[in-house]
Amino acid sequence: MPHENIILKIAGMHCASCAQSIEKALKKIEGVTTTTVNFATATASICYNPIQINSEAIKEIVTKTGYQVIEDELQLTDNEEKMMQTARKK
């Protein structure tokens, strides 16, 4: 089964319960295999199956839970990084 990892920077978390709320919402979604949300670093690390869900849908879930994904802090998935490297070579 293919998988990709993404790390999102999240704004609006005020306590560990906030992190747990995001984690719980993400774990309910088909295609998300693992997720860890860290209040101290304000990040969410998500492993997912790109055939079932994409990074945009994951960000939307975080937003619908009541938090903000900081786009300029977003780390690229493995696939996106490979595509960027290929584009730079051209």
Side-chain angles (χ1 to χ4, degrees), residues 2-3 14 41 43-44 54 58 69:
H3 75 278
H14 302 288
T41 61
T43 59
N54 61 39
I58 291 170
V69 175

Side-chain angles (χ1 to χ4, degrees), residues 9-61:
K9 183 80 173 170
I10 300 173
M13 290 192 289
H14 302 288
C15 62
S17 290
C18 295
Q20 289 175 344
S21 295
I22 296 168
E23 198 167 299
K24 185 176 177 182
L26 289 169
K27 285 182 176 180
K28 289 181 183 178
I29 305 305
E30 189 173 341
V32 174
T33 54
T34 61
T35 183
T36 304
V37 181
N38 188 312
F39 166 66
T41 61
T43 59
S45 177
I46 303 127
C47 181
Y48 65 98
N49 181 336
I51 294 171
Q52 295 177 295
I53 191 166
N54 61 39
S55 61
E56 291 302 315
I58 291 170
K59 289 186 276 184
E60 186 176 322
I61 292 162

